[in-house]
């Protein structure tokens, strides 16, 4: 009898452990932030990250447009994240795009190697004090194939189009290099020093996205960014761009935090009516599957009618927040 009770208790413990959900919090700027899908196809990579994990991992994206490592604190956003954090969670820290703007004393400005690094250290240590694991990332690249730095460039002002409609090759775009030119300097370098000092996981998101953009080249890399839609904006991602970048970063997260590797997935298509996937409707995702091809479609949320598959071999990986009838 005692042996039976011991077996039952062990089984309950294992079941409890398998059902435990860890949260990955993301703090950062507009390159990661959630977007209003009613305003267009702009997405942050953080929006797409949930689609690369099983439901055992919950992604809570708190990144916000226009914020720096400083303004995120002084506006009170950080305290809300800290209050929500619990032991066993993770915190992705990624700033830099807005820290380099303005002058000393401005709301957003920090100095790389000094106050910028201090903020990263504060975030990481505060997460550790809550029993969470900080993951330090440096900033993703801007798509810049122009050798002379344009000091007028501002991530938010880049939303203004130079001409209407989709642009395959905008004459207004400054291009004189076939390889990406850095615009972040020390802001892309010092986060690694902080990570090494604290002994915490580090992801070189700048190199990852630089390699991606260089691999695609001047023409194809436009599809990652809103310049392909509005005619201007080499900073912010399209649905496609956010999905590609999120997939690359999910794989790196699994490398630096091996305990998360069993929960990483690369589905063929991801559906979310809230814009967290690369398709907004289930039928559109099904229609995108080539005839004669098998595919796995992850359904993150929404209530859907059973789609017409037209004989396609499709497996649905459905979250508990979604239903298909």
């Amino acid at each position: 009898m005692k042996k039976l009770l011991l077996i039952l208790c062990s089984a309950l413990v294992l079941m409890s452990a398998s059902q435990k959900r860890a949260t990955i919090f993301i703090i950062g700027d507009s390159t990661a932030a959630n977007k209003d899908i009613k305003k267009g196809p702009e997405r942050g990579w953080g929006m797409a990250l949930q689609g690369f994990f099983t439901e055992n991992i919950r992604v809570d994206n708190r990144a916000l447009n226009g914020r720096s490592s400083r303004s995120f604190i002084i506006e009170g956003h950080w305290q809300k994240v800290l209050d929500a954090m619990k032991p066993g969670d993770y915190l992705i820290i990624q700033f830099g795009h807005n820290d380099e703007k303005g002058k000393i004393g401005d709301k957003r400005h920090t100095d790389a190697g000094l106050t910028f690094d201090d903020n990263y250290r504060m975030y990481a240590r505060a997460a550790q004090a809550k029993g969470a694991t900080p993951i330090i990332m440096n900033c993703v690249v801007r798509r810049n194939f122009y050798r002379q730095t344009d000091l007028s460039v501002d991530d938010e002002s880049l939303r203004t189009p130079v001409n209407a409609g989709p642009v395959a090759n905008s004459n207004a775009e400054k291009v004189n290099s076939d390889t990406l030119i850095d615009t972040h300097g020390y802001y892309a370098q010092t986060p690694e020093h902080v990570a090494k000092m604290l002994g915490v996981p580090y992801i070189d998101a700048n190199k990852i996205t630089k390699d991606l953009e260089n691999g695609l080249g001047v023409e194809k890399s436009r599809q990652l960014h809103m310049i392909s839609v509005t005619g201007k904006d080499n900073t912010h991602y399209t649905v496609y761009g956010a999905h590609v970048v999120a997939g690359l970063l999910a794989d790196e997260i699994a490398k630096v935090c091996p305990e998360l590797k069993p929960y990483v997935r690369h589905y063929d298509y991801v559906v979310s009516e809230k814009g967290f996937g690369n398709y907004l409707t289930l039928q559109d995702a099904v229609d995108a599957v080539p005839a004669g091809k098998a595919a796995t479609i992850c359904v993150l949320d929404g209530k859907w009618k059973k789609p017409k598959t037209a004989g396609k071999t499709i497996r649905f990986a459905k979250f508990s927040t979604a239903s298909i009838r």
Side-chain angles (χ1 to χ4, degrees):
M1 187 66 179
K2 288 183 179 180
K3 187 175 181 180
L4 178 60
L5 287 172
L6 182 61
I7 292 172
L8 288 173
C9 288
S10 298
L12 287 172
V13 169
L14 288 172
M15 287 176 63
S16 177
S18 65
Q19 293 171 357
K20 183 180 178 181
R21 295 183 70 193
T23 298
I24 298 177
F25 290 94
I26 303 171
I27 59 174
D29 54 47
S30 58
T31 58
N34 290 349
K35 311 293 180 177
D36 184 349
I37 63 174
K38 294 179 182 179
K39 293 183 178 180
E42 184 181 324
R43 302 287 189 270
W45 65 259
M47 284 187 78
L49 192 63
Q50 183 68 77
F52 290 92
F53 284 92
T54 67
E55 200 167 1
N56 302 80
I57 302 300
R58 172 176 170 262
V59 175
D60 190 339
N61 186 16
R62 304 292 185 97
L64 293 168
N65 289 356
R67 270 57 175 199
S68 70
S69 67
R70 181 171 187 261
S71 63
F72 196 84
I73 299 168
I74 63 178
E75 291 178 358
H77 306 298
W78 167 238
Q79 188 59 52
K80 294 177 182 178
V81 176
L82 190 61
D83 290 343
M85 207 176 298
K86 64 184 185 300
D89 286 341
Y90 297 81
L91 175 69
I92 294 175
I93 310 161
Q94 188 192 68
F95 290 97
H97 274 262
N98 299 306
D99 286 78
E100 62 192 44
K101 297 169 184 175
K103 299 178 181 179
I104 295 174
D106 289 352
K107 183 179 181 180
R108 296 192 293 183
H109 180 80
T110 63
D111 289 311
L114 296 172
T115 49
F116 182 59
D117 298 35
D118 289 341
N119 291 338
Y120 261 89
R121 274 190 289 270
M122 184 281 295
Y123 288 131
R125 285 170 173 160
Q128 289 177 317
K130 292 293 293 277
T133 300
I135 302 173
I136 289 179
M137 285 188 189
N138 58 359
C139 48
V140 294
V141 296
R142 295 187 182 97
R143 180 184 166 274
N144 174 46
F145 289 94
Y146 185 61
R147 290 190 181 279
Q148 181 179 341
T149 301
D150 185 351
L151 298 179
S152 68
V153 168
D154 183 281
D155 287 344
E156 300 308 313
S157 68
L158 286 175
R159 297 175 189 279
T160 304
V162 294
N163 58 337
V167 175
N169 188 353
S170 172
N171 292 326
E173 185 184 5
K174 296 177 180 178
V175 174
N176 61 13
S177 172
D178 58 0
T179 57
L180 210 68
I181 307 300
D182 175 58
T183 65
H184 294 297
Y186 290 119
Y187 291 92
Q189 298 174 23
T190 61
E192 182 178 10
H193 303 322
V194 176
K196 287 181 178 179
M197 177 187 297
L198 299 179
V200 301
Y202 171 70
I203 293 176
D204 192 345
N206 195 266
K207 182 182 185 303
I208 291 167
T209 51
K210 181 180 180 180
D211 290 346
L212 169 64
E213 308 255 1
N214 278 335
L216 290 173
V218 175
E219 297 300 323
K220 291 183 179 180
S221 63
R222 282 193 179 91
Q223 301 307 311
L224 298 172
H225 298 278
M226 288 299 291
I227 189 172
S228 63
V229 179
T230 65
K232 194 173 183 180
D233 190 345
N234 285 305
T235 298
H236 302 95
Y237 295 119
T238 57
V239 173
Y240 167 71
H243 190 77
V244 171
V245 171
L248 293 172
L249 294 180
D251 287 339
E252 290 300 312
I253 290 169
K255 288 180 183 178
V256 299
C257 297
E259 70 276 12
L260 292 176
K261 186 174 182 179
Y263 308 111
V264 172
R265 297 289 186 274
H266 283 269
Y267 301 105
D268 297 301
Y269 306 89
V270 181
V271 175
S272 167
E273 63 180 7
K274 298 177 182 178
F276 299 141
N278 52 355
Y279 284 90
L280 291 171
T281 74
L282 182 56
Q283 189 63 59
D284 283 346
V286 170
D287 291 344
V289 179
K293 296 285 186 179
T296 299
I297 298 177
C298 175
V299 187
L300 295 178
D301 52 53
K303 295 180 179 180
W304 308 100
K305 292 182 180 179
K306 191 173 181 179
K308 298 177 181 178
T309 60
K312 297 175 182 179
T313 304
I314 297 175
R315 173 181 171 269
F316 296 104
K318 184 173 65 66
F319 275 41
S320 62
T321 47
S323 64
I324 304 174
R325 296 180 180 178

